[in-house]
Amino acid sequence: MKYLSISFKSLFLFIILLTSTSGANALDLAERMAVADSLRMRLTQKISPSDSLSVLVNLYDVLPRSQGNLLADSIINLAMRTREEMVAFDIIRNDVNRHMRSDSIIESRLKLTLEKFPLSEGREETETFIRMVRNMRRSIYADEFDRNIMLERLKQEFDNNPPTDLYERIVLLHAMVMMLSQDPNSSLMVQYMDTLGQLVNQLPPMAFSVRNAFNVHAATAFQNSDPVKSLEADRRSLNDINKLVKFYSDRGRHFRIYDTNRYVIYCRMLNNWSVLSDKEFDDLYDQAIQLTETDPDARARYQAFAEPDLYRSLRYKDYEKAYPLLKKMIEPKVFSTLSNPRRIRVLKNFILTCKTLNKSDDLAEASLRLNEILEKEMEFRTQGLFREIRLAYANYDMRRHYGDLENETRKSRERLTIEVLVLSILGLVLMGIFIVLLLRQYSRMRVLAKSLKISNAKLQKESTNLKKAKVELKRARDSAVK
């Protein structure tokens, strides 16, 4: 780009230096803000719309989320004007992901995607991702009664009138999985999750957003019930993140970082320490701690609660260090944010720690809290079992009704076949009789024709004889007159 100003060239060299030495992902907040100031300065200069889009996208990536979010609409509009649809789709998906709790933003972005862009793989991926986020939000805020009603309706549609389009099937099945995700031990949830994974594997290679949404949900859903499956999903997510970093870096987006995502994934994997090898556990721990030194969001999460240290102390049975961390984790502010299966896991670890350290008061309190949660969990699982039985019965009843209809249809077809067969036989008999009569008539006609031919020959002969007699008679008469 020959028209770059000296200041922007300096910025470009600054970026190259940073990414070649420590990597864009290793920039601290001060360095990011310095890059952001240089990018803003570039926007004040006279540059083409295409270059403005490039600068804005890098600014969106390098700024803290709260500030970058303010640029989303401007980037989307400029990307539409410059026909950079993939950039627009990327910002739309990111904006939805950053505002998962806002129903209005989800719906407005979905409407924008459907109304302003022609059908393409990028649009289908974006639409599917937004609808999956909507599924997630609906499942979180729906009560048990509404969840059961929606689940029954979705299951009937999936069993009896499933969509043929791959993206539509993914959205429908994902909605069912989300409705069942409150009970990670549900056999239906596991069954549908496996089927959903098979569908996701059929997507185009670049459909990272949909694949990542599935992997994150699978890792979370299986974290307490099947840690091996949870780890597999997290490894797939990390692999996709590596591909995305290279993909965006090759296109000039050196600040499209995923350090916070990596930190969350590392913590979730460390939580499954019981099925990790020592080497993999230590590597994950070191990487998580390293991110707390370079990523502001990871650092804030670590300062609020040191998850990596907790899982390390539990794995190596350092209960003296685990005790204050678990004590902080069962405080209402943190404990209320955990799912029931994770609360049970935390309390069990805390009880084991208290037994080891002879913390009798904490042990008694934790045991009472665990019993209360287990009672609620048992009631919840019983309701889940009844829900599955009800769904199975509804499905059986519907299939039985469908079977009855099929039997009636089969019997009607059999009756119709018999009637057609009888009519066909009767038609053949009548046709046979008609043919016989026709043959007889034909035979008579042939006999009559033959008789008429003979009679005609006789008549012609007699006529000839008469003519001869007449001539002879005339001659005789003439002779007599003479």
Side-chain angles (χ1 to χ4, degrees), residues 10 18 27 61-62 95 102 110 112 114 116 133 168 170 227 240 255 317 322 332 384 396 420 429 446 457:
S10 300
L18 286 173
L27 296 180
D61 292 338
V62 79
D95 198 46
S102 174
L110 180 59
L112 174 68
L114 295 176
K116 300 297 183 181
V133 172
E168 291 288 339
I170 288 174
D240 279 347
F255 306 105
K317 298 181 173 20
Y396 166 76
V420 170
V429 171
R446 287 190 63 185

Side-chain angles (χ1 to χ4, degrees), residues 281-477:
F281 180 88
D282 290 339
D283 288 344
L284 289 170
Y285 176 82
D286 291 341
Q287 291 177 76
I289 295 301
Q290 184 180 358
L291 288 176
T292 64
E293 299 171 357
T294 58
D295 183 69
D297 291 330
R299 186 185 306 117
R301 287 171 178 265
Y302 181 75
Q303 290 172 349
F305 182 69
E307 278 192 83
D309 294 341
L310 170 62
Y311 304 138
R312 183 178 177 84
S313 62
L314 288 173
R315 179 179 179 85
Y316 293 111
K317 298 181 173 20
D318 185 357
Y319 295 113
E320 289 287 351
K321 187 173 183 179
Y323 174 76
L325 295 171
L326 286 168
K327 184 83 171 176
K328 184 175 182 180
M329 200 168 188
I330 64 174
E331 291 176 357
K333 185 177 180 180
V334 178
F335 200 68
S336 61
T337 64
L338 306 178
S339 63
N340 257 7
R342 197 172 180 196
R343 290 176 184 177
I344 294 171
R345 192 171 179 177
V346 168
L347 285 172
K348 285 182 177 179
N349 285 323
F350 188 62
I351 288 172
L352 175 62
T353 301
C354 291
K355 284 181 180 178
T356 305
L357 301 177
N358 294 318
K359 303 282 186 180
S360 56
D361 292 341
D362 288 330
L363 176 62
E365 182 183 353
S367 298
L368 288 174
R369 293 176 69 177
L370 179 60
N371 286 335
E372 291 177 1
I373 293 176
L374 287 176
E375 287 178 3
K376 292 180 180 178
E377 182 72 8
M378 185 176 296
E379 181 181 353
F380 179 77
R381 289 191 180 183
T382 302
Q383 292 175 354
L385 181 60
F386 281 138
R387 179 180 60 233
E388 292 191 19
I389 293 173
R390 186 171 61 253
L391 286 172
Y393 177 77
N395 189 48
Y396 166 76
D397 190 53
M398 186 170 298
R399 289 183 181 276
R400 185 184 63 181
H401 178 64
Y402 181 70
D404 292 341
L405 290 176
E406 280 192 328
N407 288 333
E408 286 295 324
T409 303
R410 181 175 52 80
K411 290 179 181 179
S412 297
R413 287 176 179 172
E414 289 176 355
R415 287 195 298 268
L416 181 60
T417 301
I418 292 172
E419 290 175 0
V420 170
L421 185 60
V422 170
L423 290 174
S424 299
I425 294 173
L426 182 60
L428 288 173
V429 171
L430 291 174
M431 186 177 293
I433 294 173
F434 177 74
I435 291 173
V436 170
L437 292 175
L438 199 62
L439 288 174
R440 288 182 63 183
Q441 187 68 20
Y442 176 71
S443 178
R444 288 178 183 176
M445 292 290 292
R446 287 190 63 185
V447 171
L448 180 60
K450 187 177 181 180
S451 175
L452 288 173
K453 186 177 181 182
I454 294 172
S455 298
N456 187 48
K458 287 181 179 181
L459 288 173
Q460 286 182 349
K461 187 177 181 181
E462 289 179 0
S463 176
T464 303
N465 291 336
L466 285 173
K467 287 180 179 179
K468 288 181 179 179
K470 185 178 179 182
V471 170
E472 289 178 357
L473 181 60
K474 186 178 179 182
R475 286 176 181 171
R477 188 180 60 190

Side-chain angles (χ1 to χ4, degrees), residues 239-266:
N239 185 50
D240 279 347
I241 285 176
N242 292 334
K243 292 178 182 178
L244 281 170
V245 169
K246 184 179 185 307
F247 174 81
Y248 286 116
S249 180
D250 290 345
R251 285 154 181 78
R253 293 179 66 174
H254 301 287
F255 306 105
R256 182 64 185 275
I257 58 176
Y258 294 88
D259 284 356
T260 304
N261 305 74
R262 290 181 194 272
Y263 179 78
V264 172
I265 293 173
Y266 292 153

